[in-house]
Amino acid sequence: MLQESKTDSPAKAIGKIAVITSEYNGTFVEGMLGAALGILKEAGATEVEHVSVPGAFEIPVACAQLTRRDNGRPSTVICLGVIIRGETTHADHIGVTVSRLLGQIAVETGVPVIHEVLLLENEKQARERCLNSATNRGTEAAYTALKMAQTMRQISNPSTL
């Protein structure tokens, strides 16, 4: 069952937040991006870096580059994309690969990677999850990124607990 997005106040923004978006299925991805940026702004985020890539398959390589750079490394990375299943298994292969790689990047670098690269059955599901303000997954991604940035800072600096 599709749950409604959070509506409580977001955590205060900590550090630079990177957002990677896929251009493919752009209308839906832009809907998630707008929702995510709204929450980040509400949280006081002043350093938001946006990177756009052609498709969902390209998101992990951009994420790896961002999380491994020496200068300007983000505190969290939000990954937004939409994959809609077709008549072949291609979408499933893309979805599984992207999920595996994003998880691997997060663990290897210690930078939280918020995975909202959605693998959906049809455009109706995409509209519900990307264009509907009550159930927008971009909102969820931003809340999660803000919370994880706080959590990682507390883990790295236990005296703040």
Side-chain angles (χ1 to χ4, degrees):
M1 175 180 204
L2 182 61
Q3 294 185 6
E4 288 197 8
S5 298
K6 294 180 181 179
T7 57
D8 54 337
S9 296
K12 184 176 181 336
I14 297 173
K16 176 184 278 189
I17 298 170
V19 181
I20 304 172
T21 58
S22 166
E23 295 170 5
Y24 201 78
N25 289 314
T27 300
F28 301 121
V29 177
E30 288 294 321
M32 287 194 295
L33 175 62
L37 292 177
I39 296 299
L40 296 177
K41 182 178 179 182
E42 183 183 335
T46 57
E47 289 187 81
V48 178
E49 179 177 5
H50 178 223
V51 176
S52 179
V53 298
F57 191 75
E58 291 76 32
I59 290 173
V61 71
C63 185
Q65 191 74 4
L66 285 168
T67 58
R68 292 183 176 125
R69 68 182 177 195
D70 293 329
N71 191 14
R73 181 176 163 173
S75 60
T76 57
V77 180
I78 299 171
C79 299
L80 304 174
V82 173
I83 305 165
I84 299 176
R85 282 195 172 95
E87 295 179 10
T88 69
T89 60
H90 181 72
D92 293 315
H93 296 295
I94 299 294
V96 167
T97 300
V98 168
S99 294
R100 181 180 50 79
L101 290 172
L102 291 180
Q104 182 179 334
I105 292 164
V107 170
E108 287 178 359
T109 65
V111 176
V113 175
I114 312 310
H115 179 346
E116 286 295 342
V117 181
L118 307 177
L119 176 57
L120 304 170
E121 297 297 327
N122 52 51
E123 288 191 12
K124 179 179 184 260
Q125 287 181 350
R127 281 189 299 278
E128 290 171 353
R129 288 159 178 79
C130 304
L131 303 178
N132 183 336
S133 61
T135 54
N136 193 301
R137 299 300 93 181
T139 299
E140 292 296 317
Y143 272 102
T144 302
L146 293 164
K147 178 65 178 163
M148 284 304 296
Q150 278 189 341
T151 299
M152 297 307 285
R153 178 171 278 179
Q154 289 172 341
I155 292 169
S156 297
N157 188 4
S159 64
T160 62
L161 294 176

